[in-house]
Amino acid sequence: MIKSPEFYSTIATAGGSVSAADKIMADVKAKVQANKAKVSGEDTAIPATPTAVEPLFTHTDSVTSGKVPLSSLVPSWDKRRKIPDVMVTVCDISLFDESQKARIPKVNPHYMPNQEALSQLAYAIENTTMPSLLTGKPSVGKSSLVEYYCAITGRPFYRFNYNGTMDASSLLGTQSASSGSTHWHDGLITEAIKCPNAILLHDEWTFAPAEVIAAMQYLLEVNGQLVLADKPGTVEDKIVYPATNVRMVFADNTRGNGDVTGKFVGTQPQNSATIDRIGTFIEVKFLSGNDEVKMLKAMYPDATERLVTSCVKVANLCRKAFDDGQLTTVMSLRVLCSWIQHSLNLRDIDKGLELAFLNRFDSEGERIAVKEFVTITMGKAR
């Protein structure tokens, strides 16, 4: 029987009157507890023995035989940043044929990778089989990060640059006729997945029509295969099994859902089923100011410390303005390189900035804003 509010308002304890709300809550809790005891058959007067909780993870030793720490391959690795040091496989180059060896990039001694993004990419490649997607602003180093990883680990690197006119036949293969007979020619993807340990970089993949990328959906699955529907022959003739440890990496300024900013004209929304096949999403950011200065100083040894440091500071102010919607163009690493190169050639930092960056803007207001960033950083007398 439910008690009336008047009943609760008359209840008193040694410490004073109990409010109606507190008594109602206590009554409800008592009924809930009684129902639990009835269902479980337990006596609420006797505390129940705690049930052991299964742990989320069990300890297993990962297989690291034949692998080396990622940090041992990266001269600029800074252990003070506490970024996970992944164990990676370095390929035996002698096992590749000459055409495959030619695909292994040379290590750029001046390149400084984004350490966190490189660690995440190495983890995904070494420990998962699903594709990865690198996203980030223009020229943050998405493509170069993948190429660098291939260089230090000895993996063949296949890069595909997509555009709106590309069709599935160029990726998968096509049939041609000559001298009264027909011949099948493997496409770019078909050829690449036959190379063991290859990494396939699908660069600016959202420029391709969704149906072109969708032709690879089966291949993007775990233990997936490539089906060449247009190839003549039996079912077995139409199926291509990827070689050992082939990995797929996508790179783009967007995440495959289309461009909502209007800054990446030509990109197209991709099929959600294709995006669902991507297992790892990595955001690549610009290097820290100190790292960017070190890399640019190594690339341009004739540049003074002041010149490089000042240019990087201006770049970071422009990037912040871009993020805030005040500038329509980001000052990327490519722009920085152009600015420094022009400045060294012309012995004029302002003229170098004009050629590398300012002339990209339609708005005079944006040009003035960038010039103001230069004045704030370097002063009027420069």
Side-chain angles (χ1 to χ4, degrees):
M1 178 178 178
I2 299 176
K3 310 289 192 302
S4 65
E6 290 78 8
F7 172 83
Y8 294 116
S9 64
T10 61
I11 300 296
T13 65
S17 299
V18 177
S19 70
D22 289 341
K23 188 62 183 71
I24 292 173
M25 186 60 67
D27 193 39
V28 170
K29 287 181 178 179
K31 289 182 179 179
V32 171
Q33 187 65 28
N35 288 336
K36 286 184 178 179
K38 186 182 296 183
V39 171
S40 62
E42 297 176 352
D43 186 350
T44 56
I46 303 175
T49 303
T51 304
V53 178
E54 181 183 5
L56 288 174
F57 309 103
T58 57
H59 176 72
T60 56
D61 293 324
S62 58
V63 179
T64 59
S65 177
K67 296 188 177 185
V68 301
L70 178 62
S71 62
S72 67
L73 305 175
V74 184
S76 61
W77 190 273
D78 188 350
K79 294 184 177 180
R80 294 172 298 179
R81 297 181 183 179
K82 306 297 182 183
I83 293 173
D85 192 0
V86 183
M87 300 299 291
V88 300
T89 302
V90 177
C91 297
D92 184 351
I93 298 178
S94 66
L95 299 179
F96 298 115
D97 63 32
E98 292 306 313
S99 64
Q100 294 167 344
K101 288 179 183 178
R103 289 283 185 173
I104 301 174
K106 298 291 189 293
V107 178
N108 181 351
H110 303 313
Y111 179 74
M112 287 189 67
N114 180 305
Q115 193 168 309
E116 182 174 9
L118 181 65
S119 171
Q120 293 174 346
L121 177 65
Y123 156 76
I125 289 173
E126 292 289 335
N127 298 283
T128 72
T129 57
M130 297 179 71
S132 302
L133 172 62
L134 304 181
T135 63
K137 295 184 179 68
S139 192
V140 294
K142 300 182 291 295
S143 304
S144 57
L145 189 74
V146 183
E147 185 175 7
Y148 180 76
Y149 185 79
C150 289
I152 63 177
T153 58
R155 283 176 173 263
F157 176 62
Y158 292 81
R159 178 174 175 174
F160 309 101
N161 290 88
Y162 288 85
N163 59 69
T165 62
M166 185 173 286
D167 57 26
S169 63
S170 62
L171 300 176
L172 306 185
T174 186
Q175 188 87 346
S176 67
S178 64
S179 303
S181 61
T182 59
H183 303 275
W184 174 263
H185 303 277
D186 283 342
L188 301 173
I189 302 294
T190 307
E191 177 186 344
I193 64 172
K194 294 178 180 179
C195 177
N197 296 296
I199 293 182
L200 282 62
L201 173 61
H202 303 270
D203 204 10
E204 308 293 357
W205 67 294
T206 61
F207 276 99
E211 59 271 17
V212 172
I213 301 299
M216 295 188 294
Q217 281 192 1
Y218 190 9
L219 178 63
L220 301 180
E221 295 179 0
V222 176
N223 300 321
Q225 307 160 13
L226 187 61
V227 180
L228 307 175
D230 296 333
K231 185 176 181 179
T234 65
V235 174
E236 289 76 12
D237 294 330
K238 298 174 182 289
I239 296 177
V240 180
Y241 297 91
T244 307
N245 293 326
V246 170
R247 296 290 184 268
M248 300 277 187
V249 180
F250 292 84
D252 199 73
N253 301 122
T254 70
R255 292 173 172 79
N257 299 313
D259 173 30
V260 298
T261 66
K263 296 173 182 175
F264 306 110
V265 177
T267 56
Q268 303 183 52
Q270 296 298 312
N271 191 310
S272 60
T274 302
I275 299 174
D276 192 53
R277 285 164 167 77
I278 297 173
T280 305
F281 293 78
I282 300 170
E283 183 177 2
V284 184
K285 299 179 180 179
F286 285 111
L287 291 174
S288 68
N290 289 337
D291 285 349
E292 204 161 31
V293 168
K294 289 178 184 177
M295 183 169 68
L296 290 168
K297 192 69 179 70
M299 294 171 64
Y300 301 96
D302 292 338
T304 64
E305 187 80 19
R306 182 188 172 212
L307 171 64
V308 175
T309 301
S310 299
C311 289
V312 170
K313 286 181 179 179
V314 172
N316 284 325
L317 288 172
C318 290
R319 291 163 185 170
K320 179 65 168 58
F322 177 83
D323 289 340
D324 294 341
Q326 297 167 349
L327 292 181
T328 55
T329 302
V330 67
M331 183 175 280
S332 66
L333 176 60
R334 296 187 187 99
V335 174
L336 264 177
C337 290
S338 296
W339 183 14
I340 293 173
Q341 185 66 73
H342 287 316
S343 298
L344 290 173
N345 292 340
L346 301 172
R347 314 292 295 177
D348 187 329
I349 195 169
D350 293 312
K351 191 64 178 178
L353 178 64
E354 180 182 341
L355 295 176
F357 193 53
L358 292 182
N359 288 342
R360 299 184 181 207
F361 293 103
D362 293 325
S363 166
E364 183 62 28
E366 290 180 275
R367 297 185 191 188
I368 293 173
V370 175
K371 290 178 182 178
E372 185 64 25
F373 292 153
V374 176
T375 301
I376 291 172
T377 302
M378 304 181 188
K380 293 184 178 180
R382 49 179 184 273

